[in-house]
Amino acid sequence: MPSQNHIPVRSQIRFFVVLCVSVSLAAFRWGGHCHADDRTQAAAKSPPQPNIVLVMTDDQGWGQTGYYDHPVLKTPHLDAMAESGLRLDRFYAGAPVCSPTRASVMTGRSNDRTGVQSHGYALRRQETTIASVLKDAGYVTGHFGKWHLNGLRGAGVPVLHTDAHHPGHFGFDQWVSVTNFFDRDPLMSRRGKFEQFTGDSSDVAMTEAIDFISRQSKANQPFFTVVWFGSPHSPWLAGDDDLKPFESLDKDSRHHYGELVAMDRSIGTLRDSLRRLGVAENTLVWYCSDNGGLPKITPDTVGGLRGHKGSLYEGGLRVPAIVEWPAMIKPRVTNYPACTMDIFPTLVDLLSLDPSVAPNPLDGVSLKPLFQQEIGSREQPIPFRFSNKAALIDNHFKLLAENLDRSKFVLYDLNNDPTETTDVTRKHPQVAKRMQKSLVDWNESVKASVAGEDYPEGRVDPDHPEPRWWTEVEDYKPFFDQWQDRWEYARYFKTKRK
């Protein structure tokens, strides 16, 4: 098999940030701000620099956990995590499909600002990522699993060392990654060198992540680890043992749920490994899904919500989420509305980094105060823009625009109508008016970001790539003869793509 060369690991300069700042991140130019807190008191309570692990599933719906009483799926390890951490019952993906949400995690910004309009769009290299920020703050950084921020479409293939948008270009020291979703016995890339793995994809990704965590723990190095699973994205192929609880389901649903069993098992492996290594107490683990659940899977994937993946209704955006950090978070459940855009500013706040590390307008807020106690209403609404549609969540109200060009809005009261059946604009005209103005103003700021006005150059890099299929990439063509019989790739060779 042709091989890819390793990229040398860049030497790291570790420095300590000694300036304790008030991270209000008021540069969120469209009006929101975080809750203030007493930094002196916080410093006294805060443990040493925490390790950080971000875990994200691929197409897992809001209703697909045991702790939400799913009728057939058992998730004992997620359930245990929920019992030990902060369960976020109103947590939202940054977008209703995968690449855009991943961009929101990396940047703290709505996806369209970053150039990631839909699945298969590349993240602009002009963006500042949380991996780069934490690397500069002394963390060793690693990415494991699905990447999907390099502008390639189609089932996941190993990321090339020549790829101008591989994880290393966005702050990751180590990476074992594929371009998109991946399944059993995956072919992956270790910093550009292709490697064949055996087993369920979730087990494979987590094994690599734990090896990375183990090495950093033994070296007493703080680590930032991103594990992005390929499950339960289609196509589905679960192991025989993982299929046993679902024998009464149709084939697709059976394998879909079987993959979730394996994913849950890998969560247990992670939690057990952190305890075994003696770092669980001061490791923050943040789990969520990248978008809402899928249709045509039985039983229901979205817990009775309206819509599925691709929709700005709750079923397309609301996802399961848990933050576990034994040193700082006492177990509880919250209905505080939060989102993937909050991850970046939260981590910046936790480390007391200067707000200037985020030079571009953010759309998220720090959730640090929420880790300690309930903090009332969210002060900054959560915005979404996808495929010329938009939504704005302001606590229990949600404004939805099915077509931004037509400026037609619908207002929902999620407290009284969680399945979004009734427009309450006439009942709450002032709320509707206020939220419409906020959404329109925010949309104008996004237009400026799309044009590149946030960047020092004042424009988008002219070399930024358009989405394409990996079958169109010259550097992959030497592998085609070997790949055409692999079950996950075969269909791409039966259909010619121009």
Side-chain angles (χ1 to χ4, degrees):
M1 172 182 292
S3 64
Q4 302 295 318
N5 296 322
H6 281 283
I7 294 178
V9 179
R10 293 181 296 179
S11 62
Q12 301 172 38
I13 302 175
R14 185 180 180 190
F15 66 93
F16 293 93
V17 179
V18 297
L19 177 63
C20 187
V21 298
S22 175
V23 183
S24 68
L25 291 176
F28 299 166
R29 298 175 186 167
W30 63 292
H33 63 277
C34 300
H35 290 264
D37 61 88
D38 185 335
R39 296 292 159 181
T40 302
Q41 183 179 4
K45 292 182 178 180
S46 296
Q49 197 174 32
N51 303 302
I52 301 164
V53 182
L54 304 183
V55 179
M56 183 179 287
T57 54
D58 194 2
D59 289 355
Q60 181 184 13
W62 183 76
Q64 292 186 299
T65 65
Y67 63 79
Y68 285 143
D69 298 322
H70 193 276
V72 298
L73 177 65
K74 307 299 180 185
T75 56
H77 301 293
L78 282 177
D79 296 355
M81 185 178 175
E83 290 177 0
S84 300
L86 178 63
R87 195 180 94 186
L88 299 157
D89 279 4
R90 284 195 63 200
F91 192 82
Y92 294 89
V97 296
C98 49
S99 299
T101 294
R102 294 164 203 279
S104 75
V105 172
M106 287 288 101
T107 66
R109 287 154 56 83
S110 180
N111 55 286
D112 277 7
R113 291 192 191 274
T114 72
V116 185
Q117 299 172 29
S118 189
H119 66 90
Y121 279 70
L123 180 63
R124 294 173 183 162
R125 287 184 59 174
Q126 292 160 288
E127 291 290 324
T128 299
T129 68
I130 189 60
S132 294
V133 169
L134 294 181
K135 180 183 175 74
D136 288 343
Y139 282 75
V140 184
T141 57
H143 176 273
F144 304 93
K146 175 175 176 173
W147 180 233
H148 216 202
L149 289 174
N150 59 342
L152 296 182
R153 289 176 169 168
V157 291
V159 179
L160 294 162
H161 78 90
T162 54
D163 193 322
H165 289 75
H166 68 54
H169 291 300
F170 292 94
F172 288 102
D173 297 308
Q174 304 289 330
W175 46 278
V176 181
S177 312
V178 292
T179 58
N180 198 354
F181 54 85
F182 61 115
D183 292 276
R184 288 191 68 81
D185 303 333
L187 183 63
M188 304 183 76
S189 170
R190 188 185 304 275
R191 289 183 293 130
K193 183 177 180 180
F194 293 4
E195 290 188 24
Q196 177 65 57
F197 292 87
T198 302
D200 185 273
S201 62
S202 295
D203 291 330
V204 167
M206 190 58 77
T207 296
E208 288 297 315
I210 289 169
D211 179 67
F212 169 80
I213 289 170
S214 178
R215 284 184 279 113
Q216 309 321 315
S217 298
K218 292 175 181 177
N220 200 29
Q221 287 279 353
F223 53 82
F224 174 62
T225 310
V226 173
V227 185
W228 284 350
F229 296 125
S231 295
H233 195 291
S234 66
W236 304 287
L237 186 62
D240 290 342
D241 288 342
D242 296 334
L243 290 171
K244 289 180 180 178
F246 314 110
E247 292 178 353
S248 64
L249 304 182
D250 64 88
K251 181 180 178 181
D252 284 349
S253 298
R254 189 163 66 248
H255 282 272
H256 175 92
Y257 280 108
E259 288 191 6
L260 281 171
V261 169
M263 179 280 297
D264 181 70
R265 178 173 62 243
S266 75
I267 295 291
T269 302
L270 170 65
R271 298 177 75 243
D272 287 345
S273 297
L274 293 174
R275 288 192 290 268
R276 174 177 54 80
L277 293 167
V279 296
E281 182 72 11
N282 196 33
T283 297
L284 183 157
V285 181
W286 197 323
Y287 146 84
C288 66
S289 178
D290 65 344
N291 49 246
L294 301 177
K296 301 179 181 179
I297 295 294
T298 55
D300 173 43
T301 63
V302 296
L305 299 174
R306 180 177 180 180
H308 295 88
K309 177 182 179 179
S311 164
L312 292 185
Y313 290 108
E314 292 289 283
L317 291 172
R318 196 191 296 192
V319 295
I322 306 165
V323 184
E324 186 178 24
W325 186 11
M328 288 295 289
I329 295 176
K330 294 182 179 179
R332 75 178 198 280
V333 177
T334 182
N335 284 303
Y336 184 87
C339 64
T340 53
M341 285 88 80
D342 296 337
I343 295 173
F344 186 117
T346 298
L347 299 182
V348 168
D349 193 6
L350 286 172
L351 298 179
S352 298
L353 302 181
D354 194 294
S356 65
V357 300
N360 301 315
L362 300 184
D363 295 300
V365 302
S366 173
L367 300 181
K368 179 181 177 180
L370 184 67
F371 288 177
Q372 295 297 308
Q373 61 186 2
E374 290 302 305
I375 54 176
S377 298
R378 184 183 176 104
E379 296 184 9
Q380 177 172 304
I382 303 174
F384 306 92
R385 198 179 96 152
F386 176 74
S387 190
N388 205 39
K389 301 177 182 180
L392 188 67
I393 292 176
D394 188 354
N395 294 290
H396 66 280
F397 285 110
K398 179 177 179 179
L399 189 74
L400 183 65
E402 283 288 348
N403 188 319
L404 281 170
D405 295 333
R406 296 176 184 172
S407 298
K408 183 178 180 180
F409 303 96
V410 179
L411 182 68
Y412 296 108
D413 180 348
L414 297 177
N415 274 358
N416 298 312
D417 182 24
T419 55
E420 300 168 288
T421 62
T422 305
D423 182 2
V424 295
T425 299
R426 291 185 178 181
K427 186 176 181 180
H428 301 282
Q430 294 304 313
V431 172
K433 182 179 180 180
R434 171 178 56 80
M435 292 183 67
Q436 287 173 25
K437 184 180 185 304
S438 294
L439 185 56
V440 169
D441 290 347
W442 174 79
N443 188 52
E444 290 302 311
S445 79
V446 174
K447 289 179 181 178
S449 299
V450 170
E453 295 178 19
D454 298 340
Y455 307 132
E457 305 87 346
R459 61 181 174 85
V460 176
D461 183 348
D463 294 327
H464 184 74
E466 293 295 320
R468 56 179 174 160
W469 297 87
W470 54 259
T471 52
E472 302 170 36
V473 177
E474 288 297 323
D475 286 354
Y476 281 119
K477 291 183 178 179
F479 301 94
F480 285 4
D481 286 345
Q482 300 168 27
W483 290 358
Q484 61 185 349
D485 294 327
R486 292 184 66 101
W487 76 275
E488 70 269 48
Y489 301 154
R491 66 187 184 278
Y492 299 102
F493 298 104
K494 293 178 182 178
T495 303
K496 293 183 179 180
R497 300 192 182 275
K498 296 182 181 180

